[in-house]
Amino acid sequence: MPFEEFDRSKLKLLPLGERVHDLDERVMKPAVSDNGYRHPTIDLLADRIRAAKARGADVTLMLGGHVIRSGVAPSMIAMMEAGYINHFAMNGAAAIHDFELAMIGATTESVAKYISEGQFGLWQETGLYNEAINEYAPQGYGFGEALGRYIEEHEFPYRENSLLAACYRRHIPATVHVGIGCDIVHEHPNANGRWIGEATYRDFLIYTRRIEELEGGVFMDFGSAVIGPEVYLKALSMARNAAHQEGRRIVHFTTAVFDLLELEGKNVHEAPPKSDPRYYFRPWKTIMARTVADGGESYYVQGTHQNTVPALAWRLLGGEEGGNA
């Protein structure tokens, strides 16, 4: 006999207007401005991104939720609109923050406060996120494109700073890689596992198709310590499998990880031993060591996203050798 399931009809959802938000639209940074942050790897990456653009290779930027919360979506949108980034990939948290900011100009609740009250994540308007998937996934849309279309067609008031909406307008893939049960929207009665799974798997295949073009390209991971490296690893294996059968190789590309862990000065090109706790920091062993071992190059930048993302945009679009390069 089947096990008992939780009855979602028992849940009480409150209006978002009653939620205390930790962030609002004032967190947004200018799209292209000099914040004073400098790092030699960012200079190198800007050159590699320009070269990748010139040869038509893939440039993917993977991001975690804290990147959107840092208010740097305008910088990412500017790099995309200039043709420097042709694929964004994110976890579910990043998509939810982007969706909420576009909808109400605010996001982020106190976990400590609302988990005690049994109200964490249970807000009426946030459930529109699920409605977007339920409406567009049956029509063949991937997760990210479904959200972007919903934001645009429903004219969310703050959509000019939505990465999902900007990618939808420009027909640039913004793929969303979801773990069922990881995101607040999965608590809602209108969450449909069939369409969540189908839409995010479709995004995984879109992602993998982009990775097929990674030879001579650039892969960057900003603050995604689990979903980022794990999705990349499987997609790269699939892409290399297909390339091998076609007589091609996907080995000469550049990877970079941007995070807070103190790794600068370490040899990130070799995975640490299992006796080192940092062995379990997946971006190191996966993105910076194992997958570039056959001819790629990898780099690490320690810094906050509110510094590093605008610095990359400035180097590409506004700083020395930027703009018309």
Side-chain angles (χ1 to χ4, degrees):
M1 295 292 293
F3 292 109
E4 288 187 52
E5 297 181 7
F6 180 82
D7 180 4
R8 292 182 292 176
S9 68
K10 298 188 298 184
L11 294 171
K12 180 181 180 181
L13 276 64
L14 296 179
L16 260 179
E18 296 184 17
R19 189 176 82 181
V20 177
H21 304 97
D22 292 345
L23 295 171
D24 60 34
E25 74 276 4
R26 290 173 295 181
V27 74
M28 292 297 173
K29 309 294 187 296
V32 183
S33 64
D34 185 2
N35 63 6
Y37 184 85
R38 298 289 185 270
H39 196 288
T41 293
I42 289 178
D43 296 341
L44 179 146
L45 284 173
D47 292 340
R48 298 290 170 84
I49 290 170
R50 291 192 190 97
K53 177 185 176 183
R55 65 170 59 99
D58 180 65
V59 179
T60 287
L61 193 158
M62 185 95 196
L63 60 137
H66 285 279
V67 179
I68 297 296
R69 289 174 51 176
S70 297
V72 297
S75 293
M76 293 189 287
I77 292 170
M79 290 187 285
M80 178 267 290
E81 290 181 338
Y84 288 117
I85 311 293
N86 50 31
H87 172 213
F88 291 93
M90 67 192 78
N91 61 11
I96 291 169
H97 289 309
D98 186 272
F99 191 88
E100 287 189 341
L101 281 165
M103 179 171 53
I104 64 169
T107 190
T108 307
E109 59 192 299
S110 168
V111 177
K113 171 180 171 59
Y114 290 115
I115 194 61
S116 295
E117 301 174 5
Q119 200 61 51
F120 175 64
L122 295 168
W123 309 100
Q124 294 169 4
E125 294 86 345
T126 302
L128 294 174
Y129 180 101
N130 291 327
E131 293 302 322
I133 304 306
N134 296 342
E135 180 175 355
Y136 296 124
Q139 299 179 38
Y141 282 78
F143 211 104
E145 190 174 15
L147 294 172
R149 177 176 177 178
Y150 194 91
I151 293 168
E152 275 292 298
E153 292 196 342
H154 290 79
E155 299 183 342
F156 281 14
Y158 301 94
R159 64 189 181 278
E160 72 276 4
N161 288 323
S162 165
L163 181 61
L164 291 166
C167 287
Y168 174 75
R169 290 192 299 269
R170 288 277 182 164
H171 199 59
I172 295 293
T175 57
V176 181
H177 305 274
V178 171
I180 298 288
C182 292
D183 299 328
I184 59 172
V185 291
H186 303 157
E187 304 172 45
H188 288 230
N190 68 342
N192 187 309
R194 173 185 177 182
W195 299 123
I196 293 170
E198 183 164 324
T200 199
Y201 190 71
R202 186 174 290 127
D203 271 8
F204 173 62
L205 298 180
I206 293 169
Y207 179 112
T208 305
R209 178 65 187 93
R210 294 307 313 149
I211 295 299
E212 282 192 284
E213 309 299 328
L214 189 57
E215 178 72 11
V218 179
F219 177 86
M220 297 174 287
D221 181 274
F222 284 79
S224 182
V226 178
I227 293 292
E230 291 302 323
V231 173
Y232 159 75
L233 180 67
K234 282 71 172 186
L236 181 60
S237 181
M238 293 165 66
R240 281 177 167 171
N241 183 290
H244 178 75
Q245 297 177 64
E246 298 166 358
R248 298 187 297 110
R249 300 185 74 200
I250 306 174
V251 294
H252 303 104
F253 54 86
T254 303
T255 68
V257 173
F258 295 75
D259 219 308
L260 298 176
L261 194 66
E262 293 184 5
L263 292 183
E264 292 193 325
K266 304 291 183 182
N267 180 11
V268 296
H269 310 298
E270 294 183 7
K274 289 185 178 181
S275 58
D276 187 331
R278 289 170 298 190
Y279 173 84
Y280 300 97
F281 179 61
R282 289 172 173 83
W284 184 348
K285 64 183 178 183
T286 298
I287 298 174
M288 295 184 288
R290 293 173 175 171
T291 58
V292 293
D294 298 313
E297 295 182 23
S298 62
Y299 299 90
Y300 183 75
V301 178
Q302 180 184 351
T304 63
H305 307 309
Q306 57 260 42
N307 283 332
T308 57
V309 175
L312 179 61
W314 174 251
R315 188 67 177 81
L316 283 169
L317 302 170
E320 315 91 43
E321 300 180 19
N324 297 322

